[in-house]
Every structure is written in C-alpha cells, then in structure tokens.
Amino acid sequence: MRLLAPNKNDDQRLIVNSHNDRQKITELNCARRWLAAYNKINQTGYCCLKANYFPSEVDVYVYRDKEVGRPLRLQITKARFDSLTAAIQRKKGLYSPEQKADLFLLLDFSGPISLDKLSIWQNKNLRLLSGSGFLEIWLVGSRGNIISLWPGLA
C-alpha cells in the first residue's frame, strides 16, 4: 500500500492499493468467512488473521488470541464450479507433501452453489480430494456457504 501526498483540494491523503494489497484483501475476506464456520464446527477460538506477504505456500496465518504456538496455515485460491478440479490440481502440484501436510486449501468460490451438484462433484472427485495432500479443503462461498470438501462432513 502506498500513501500519496495530500490531495490539494481537501487536504486528505489518497491511498492506492497495489495488486498485492488488493489480492490480500480478498484473501483475508475469504479467511474471515471461513473462520466463523471453522470455529463453530471445531469449537475453537481462532480470531487473529495475518496476511503473509512473503513468497510462500501460506497466504494467511490464523492465530488464537495471544497464541504462541504454530498457527493455522491457509492457501487461498479463487474458483468457480467449472474450475474446481483444475484449481485443486494446480495447487496440488505447486507444493511438496511436507508443505501441504498442515496446509488448509480454501477455494474462494464465486457464483451460486447447487448443493446437489456439489455433492455429485465431491463423490466423483474423492480420489483427487484425498490424494491432494492438503490437511483440509474447504469451499468458501461469497454468499455464506462454507463447505468442507475434504476430509468432508457429508
């Protein structure tokens, strides 16, 4: 993020987000939507999100308040229904088994979700999901639908 000189007209400062900042904002929004469901399902109290700006498999770290242990590690990618398989395959190939072993893959999903179609897709792609190497895979809808695809709760 860059802070520019004051605006001559109204003495306010203009903030211009770089591409990386805009990407991190959408990743953090996806992580926030997911975290509420994750905490409720797992009865945990994670509340602190930290964007990772360094080149790594981790996009966002998730901590408990005042936690000193290892945080949850999130990899976030955008996906639509017709690109779910390709998105998982792409991310599966980018990281080593050691990197993926404790990494959550969040699919920032845009568009409507048909739970019936998604269930059929999930059953058809169980081998991909189970063999991806990620600790967990979640579909995070923009309209509040948060679905665990792997290991899956269905």
Side-chain angles (χ1 to χ4, degrees), residues 86-106:
I88 294 169
Q89 287 174 332
R90 186 179 73 250
K91 292 297 180 174
K92 173 185 172 184
L94 285 178
Y95 309 113
S96 71
E98 294 80 19
Q99 290 172 313
K100 294 184 291 186
D102 66 346
L103 190 63
F104 290 75
L105 177 60
L106 304 187

Side-chain angles (χ1 to χ4, degrees), residues 73-93:
R73 303 166 66 242
L74 309 180
Q75 169 56 226
I76 301 169
T77 191
K78 292 199 174 285
R80 293 184 324 262
F81 186 78
D82 61 350
S83 68
L84 284 177
T85 303
I88 294 169
Q89 287 174 332
R90 186 179 73 250
K91 292 297 180 174
K92 173 185 172 184

Side-chain angles (χ1 to χ4, degrees), residues 33-44:
R33 294 190 312 268
W34 167 80
L35 188 56
Y38 182 83
N39 279 335
K40 186 174 182 177
I41 291 167
N42 294 288
Q43 298 178 356
T44 56

Side-chain angles (χ1 to χ4, degrees), residues 5 11 19 25-26 45 52 56 59 67-68 92 94 96 125 140-141:
D11 212 25
H19 165 74
I25 289 168
T26 61
N52 180 22
S56 154
D59 290 322
E67 180 180 33
V68 293
K92 173 185 172 184
L94 285 178
S96 71
N125 290 281
V140 182

